[in-house]
Structures are given as C-alpha cells and as structure tokens.
Amino acid sequence: QLGGKSERAVELLLEMRELGLKPNAISYRTAINVCGKGGKSEHAVELLKEMKEFGIQPDMIGYSAAISACEKCGKWERAAELLEEMRECGVKPDVLVYNAAISACGACGEWRRALGLLEEMKEQHTWPDVTSYNTAITACKKGQEGQEALRMFSELRQWHKPDVISYNVAISACGAGEKWGLALWLVDDMKEERSWPDVTSYSAAISACEKGRLWEEALCKLSELRHCYKPDVISYSAAISACGAGEKWGLALWLVEE
C-alpha cells in the first residue's frame, strides 16, 4: 500500500508541473517522506536530485526520508553517499539520520562501516543515543563479531542506561561468541538495573546455554521465564537442545511433552 502511495506522490508532482504549478520544498519533502516510508529509495533519491535541478535545496527532513528509504531497501552504499552529500551541502546530519545510515550498513553485514559512522557521530559532536548503540551492536551481531558487540555495549553503559533491546542483542552476541557465563550474568544484571528481561532475553540466554551445553543453567532460566511469561517455541527448542547436548534425554522428552 505504501509502495502505491509513493508512486502516486511522484505522479502528483508531475501533474503539478503539467498544470504550470511549481512544486516547492514542502511538496518535494512530503513526496520524499512518503517514498521513504514505502521503502522506495529510487524514487526518494530521484526526487532529491530533481529538487536541486529546480534550484530547491533539500533539507534535513528530505535527506532523512531518503536515507530511511535506503535503510529499508538495504542500500547501505547509497545511504552513505547521501550522508556525505548532506555534509557537502551544508546540512548537518542529526542523530536520526545517522541511526538510519548505521542500520542500513548493519542490515547488509557492513559492521565496520556501521562502527565507523558511530565514531563519526562523536567527531561531529552529534552524540549517539541508545538507538545508535543498539543499531551498532546489532550490526556487529549480524556480522558475527561478538567481541565488538560487547565492546559497544560496554561503551553504551558509560553514556546511557541500556534498554531491553540493548541487553537482548548483547546476550545473543555472548551466545554466538561462546561467552555463556556473561550471557547469564547479563540477564541478572538486567533485573538489578530494573530493565526487566522479556521472553527474548530469556530465550537468548537459554540459547547461549545450549551452545555451551549448560543444560542445568538452561533449565534454570526456563524456570525463571515461566514465572514471568509463557515460554515460546525458541525457548523450549533451545532448552531441549541443551538437555540433548548434556545427554539428559528424559528431560528433553519431558520438555517436548510439556
């Protein structure tokens, strides 16, 4: 539906010109925003180019919408180009623009580029927020760089209070990086910091136990999860696998029946 709206937005701009009406910055900004929400990066970028051809300087909102469109389409290189173009045009990227660009890089496995943008933010005195760090940590996790993910989590804690998303990604990174004890500690740390673990938190911790063949710890976390939430398929599957790895076949079968 949004894709259809973006095409209609472009058509409306064309109709305005055919009627002798000159689209202004607001007209273009609105159309680019619609394209951005619909993930139509080609349309959004083309409209930015068209604005400049008509002597209209794109502003922060226009660039932000176009970069968000690139993020949705996984076009990290184009997002990075638009970021550079913004600076060349004298438009300083804000936190939201950087976050979208970092996310675009992370979605494509470009974790080094994502971390580079985070460093660039600090150099430009555009201070990263929790979302900036969460996006960078997620990029590292997707790139199977558990150590870098944990380094980013540690840096986040120096400046902000991590939220549930921060913890969940860090716990998953611990599991992937064979740091099972740290994964379990992070769940306990969440409770101490009153960032209460959710189903995803526990599932990630149980998955970490599975990888470490820590069947007792896996069942302990599953029990904790039951007290707060209903375990999902991922939780049960990881706990069953952990029991299997520990050759606790009876417990594994019992969990299947449950």
Side-chain angles (χ1 to χ4, degrees):
Q1 187 177 2
L2 280 172
K5 287 182 179 179
S6 65
E7 290 170 0
R8 182 57 184 151
V10 174
E11 290 172 1
L12 286 172
L13 284 177
L14 181 60
E15 288 175 14
M16 287 180 68
R17 288 196 294 270
E18 289 175 349
L19 292 171
L21 301 173
K22 183 179 179 181
N24 59 18
I26 296 174
S27 307
Y28 275 106
R29 191 167 60 197
T30 302
I32 292 169
N33 193 40
V34 172
C35 293
K37 289 180 178 178
K40 297 292 183 179
S41 60
E42 299 88 351
H43 290 166
V45 172
E46 189 59 34
L47 288 173
L48 279 176
K49 180 181 178 183
E50 189 177 291
M51 284 182 75
K52 290 186 283 187
E53 289 174 353
F54 281 92
I56 304 171
Q57 176 60 46
D59 59 8
M60 173 73 72
I61 297 173
Y63 276 112
S64 179
I67 291 173
S68 293
C70 293
E71 172 197 0
K72 291 180 176 70
C73 296
K75 296 188 176 181
W76 72 271
E77 291 175 309
R78 194 68 186 103
E81 288 171 3
L82 288 173
L83 201 60
E84 181 62 30
E85 186 179 305
M86 284 183 74
R87 288 191 290 266
E88 291 175 355
C89 293
V91 181
K92 184 180 178 181
D94 65 4
V95 173
L96 294 177
V97 171
Y98 270 111
N99 289 353
I102 292 170
S103 180
C105 293
C108 297
E110 295 291 331
W111 64 273
R112 286 189 179 85
R113 180 60 178 165
L115 296 189
L117 288 174
L118 193 72
E119 291 302 314
E120 184 180 298
M121 289 179 74
K122 291 179 279 186
E123 291 171 2
Q124 297 296 322
H125 297 98
T126 303
W127 304 112
D129 59 10
V130 174
T131 301
S132 311
Y133 280 104
N134 287 351
T135 308
I137 294 167
T138 301
C140 293
K141 176 180 169 288
K142 287 182 178 178
Q144 298 183 334
E145 292 293 329
Q147 195 63 39
E148 286 297 323
L150 294 175
R151 185 177 70 82
M152 285 293 101
F153 181 77
S154 177
E155 185 176 310
L156 164 60
R157 294 185 67 153
Q158 294 175 17
W159 302 105
H160 304 285
K161 180 181 178 181
D163 60 14
V164 175
I165 296 173
S166 317
Y167 274 106
N168 289 353
V169 180
I171 292 167
S172 295
C174 287
E178 300 184 354
K179 296 183 181 295
W180 309 301
L182 184 54
L184 297 175
W185 177 82
L186 284 171
V187 175
D188 292 333
D189 187 59
M190 289 181 77
K191 290 179 280 188
E192 290 181 10
E193 294 293 329
R194 305 184 74 82
S195 294
W196 304 112
D198 59 10
V199 175
T200 302
S201 314
Y202 281 108
S203 295
I206 294 168
S207 294
C209 293
E210 171 201 354
K211 293 180 177 69
R213 300 186 178 186
L214 306 175
W215 66 271
E216 290 177 301
E217 287 82 353
L219 292 181
C220 179
K221 290 303 170 190
L222 183 64
S223 178
E224 284 183 27
L225 170 56
R226 282 200 199 95
H227 287 300
C228 305
Y229 308 100
K230 181 180 179 180
D232 60 10
V233 174
I234 296 173
S235 312
Y236 273 115
S237 298
I240 291 166
S241 295
C243 290
E247 298 184 0
K248 299 297 177 181
W249 319 120
L251 284 172
L253 293 174
W254 176 74
L255 288 174
V256 171
E257 290 297 325
E258 183 180 305

